[in-house]
Amino acid sequence: MIFYSIQELLLLAIAAIVLDWIIGDPKWPTHPVIWIGRLIKGLERLLYPRDNAASPITVKLRGCLLTLITIGVSWGMMTLIVWLADAIHVWLGYALSAWFISTTLAVKGLKDAAMLVYVPLTQGNLTAARRYVGYIVGRDTDSLSEPEAARAAVETVAENTVDAFLSPLLFALIGGAPLAMLYRSANTLDSMVGYRNEKYIHFGWCSARLDDVLNYIPARLTGVLMVAAAAMLPGMNARRSWRSIRRFASLHPSPNSGIPEAAVAGAIGIQLGGVNRYFGVESERARMGWKSRELEPRDIRASISMLYAVSIIALAGLGGVWLCLL
C-alpha cells in the first residue's frame, strides 16, 4: 500500500476538490461508482436468499457478507491501481490518486442535478421538474406541488453535502484514494440496499448501519461548516441555522441526515420535512426548521450556495493547514 505524507494527502484532497468543481461527475462507463454498483448488483443476485423461509439472521449474515466483499474489493482494487501507478512513476500515482478521489466527490454533480429541477420550476414547467426530482429521490413525484418539488431538491443538496463531499474528503485525508473509495462503496451500498422495506430490512441492515457509522463525525462537522457558510452568505442566518440544528436534527430518523437538513432550513428560513409518498403510501418526515413561508425555486439556489460555501471553506482550511506544515 502507498503511504502518503500528511502534506501529500492535503494536496491530493485540494486537487480533488478543484477537479470535481471543474469536471464534476461524468457518466462514463469506466466511472468507479458505476463499477461498484455493478458489483453490488452481481453480489446481490448471488447472496440474496431465494428461499422465502430463510430466517432474519441468515438474511442479515448474507447482507453483511455483501457489505464486506464490496468494501474489501473496492479498497483492494484502488490500492492495487495506485500502487501500480506509483511504481511506474510517482507523478502518475499522484495524478490517479487525485482523480480517483475526485470521483468520490460530487459537488458539481449535486449542483447540476438540483439545477435540473430549478430551471423548469422557474419556467412554470412542473411536469419536467417532477421528472427530474425523480432522478434524485426515491419518493413518488407524480403529484408533487411546486413547493414539494423545491423541498425535495433542497433536502437532497443538504443531505448529500455530507455523503457526496465531506465524508469522502475526510476519508481521503486519512487513507488516500483507497479509503475514499471504500467510503464511496459503503455509501453506494446504502443507497442500493439500505432500505427499511420488506426486501431489504434485514439484507441491507449491515450496509445501512455501516453508512451511519462512517457518516457520524462528518455529518457533525458539516453542520459546523454550514453555520460558518451561513455567516458568510448574504441573506443567510447563522444563528438561526445553529438553533435549528440543536432543536430539530435529533428528530430525523437518520442519526446524521437531520444535521445538514436542519442547518440549511435554519440558514435559509424555511421548513424541510413533511409528508412524502412512497409507492402510494404516505410517510411523515419530521419537520426541520421554522416555517415562515412556502418553499420557492430560489431556495434551491440558496442550498447550492451553501454547498459551494462549505466546499470553499474546506478548501481554504486544507490549504491553510498545508502552509502551516511547510
Side-chain angles (χ1 to χ4, degrees):
M1 178 182 177
I2 300 302
F3 292 97
Y4 290 122
S5 68
I6 296 175
Q7 292 94 328
E8 288 172 324
L9 288 171
L10 287 167
L11 287 177
L12 288 174
I14 290 170
I17 293 173
V18 175
L19 283 172
D20 178 55
W21 283 348
I22 297 171
I23 300 175
D25 193 24
K27 306 302 181 190
W28 297 338
T30 55
H31 194 287
V33 175
I34 293 177
W35 283 102
I36 290 171
R38 291 174 179 173
L39 173 63
I40 294 169
K41 287 181 179 180
L43 289 172
E44 181 183 354
R45 286 194 294 268
L46 182 65
L47 294 172
Y48 193 88
R50 298 177 183 178
D51 182 5
N52 293 330
S55 67
I57 188 64
T58 298
V59 179
K60 276 188 177 182
L61 288 173
R62 286 172 171 261
C64 288
L65 186 58
L66 166 70
T67 302
L68 291 173
I69 293 175
T70 301
I71 64 174
V73 169
S74 299
W75 179 85
M77 289 299 297
M78 194 77 270
T79 300
L80 178 62
I81 291 171
V82 172
W83 180 81
L84 289 174
D86 192 77
I88 296 171
H89 197 283
V90 64
W91 284 104
L92 179 60
Y94 288 150
L96 281 182
S97 290
W99 183 78
F100 277 117
I101 293 171
S102 76
T103 67
T104 68
L105 310 178
V107 172
K108 185 176 184 296
L110 267 178
K111 183 262 292 183
D112 292 343
M115 289 300 292
L116 287 175
V117 180
Y118 170 80
V119 171
L121 282 179
T122 59
Q123 297 171 343
N125 190 347
L126 185 55
T127 300
R130 288 168 174 168
R131 182 172 70 253
Y132 289 122
V133 169
Y135 292 172
I136 58 176
V137 299
R139 70 193 70 167
D140 297 344
T141 62
D142 292 345
S143 60
L144 291 180
S145 64
E146 179 179 300
E148 288 173 331
R151 173 169 70 87
V154 171
E155 288 172 349
T156 297
V157 173
E159 180 179 352
N160 283 283
T161 302
V162 180
D163 298 0
F165 178 67
L166 205 65
S167 283
L169 184 67
L170 288 177
F171 283 102
L173 289 170
I174 297 170
L179 201 60
M181 199 61 67
L182 182 150
Y183 168 78
R184 177 52 58 211
S185 67
N187 187 248
T188 305
L189 276 163
D190 180 61
S191 67
M192 294 181 66
V193 302
Y195 297 102
R196 296 182 180 180
N197 56 24
E198 183 178 356
K199 180 176 182 180
Y200 292 120
I201 185 67
H202 299 300
F203 190 70
W205 173 85
C206 184
S207 297
R209 297 293 76 75
L210 177 62
D211 187 71
D212 288 343
V213 170
L214 295 180
N215 284 312
Y216 188 85
I217 292 175
R220 282 140 187 85
L221 181 55
T222 298
V224 174
L225 294 182
M226 283 183 163
V227 173
M232 295 168 47
L233 295 169
M236 301 281 186
N237 190 315
R239 180 176 296 181
R240 188 173 58 208
S241 179
W242 179 248
R243 288 175 52 222
S244 183
I245 293 173
R246 299 189 64 181
R247 171 66 178 84
F248 299 107
S250 62
L251 302 178
H252 199 283
S254 164
N256 302 316
S257 298
I259 296 172
E261 288 189 21
V264 168
I268 299 175
I270 55 176
Q271 186 178 77
L272 300 176
V275 177
N276 298 332
R277 293 173 180 81
Y278 299 92
F279 304 104
V281 178
E282 289 190 352
S283 174
E284 181 73 21
R285 181 63 60 85
R287 267 73 171 179
M288 305 279 120
W290 298 273
K291 184 175 182 178
S292 59
R293 57 176 174 80
E294 293 289 347
L295 275 90
E296 302 173 11
R298 62 188 172 101
D299 297 319
I300 300 175
R301 294 294 297 265
S303 68
I304 294 171
S305 296
M306 287 197 71
L307 166 66
Y308 270 88
V310 167
S311 69
I312 291 169
I313 293 170
L315 181 69
L318 295 177
V321 173
W322 180 77
L323 289 173
C324 289
L325 293 174
L326 287 179

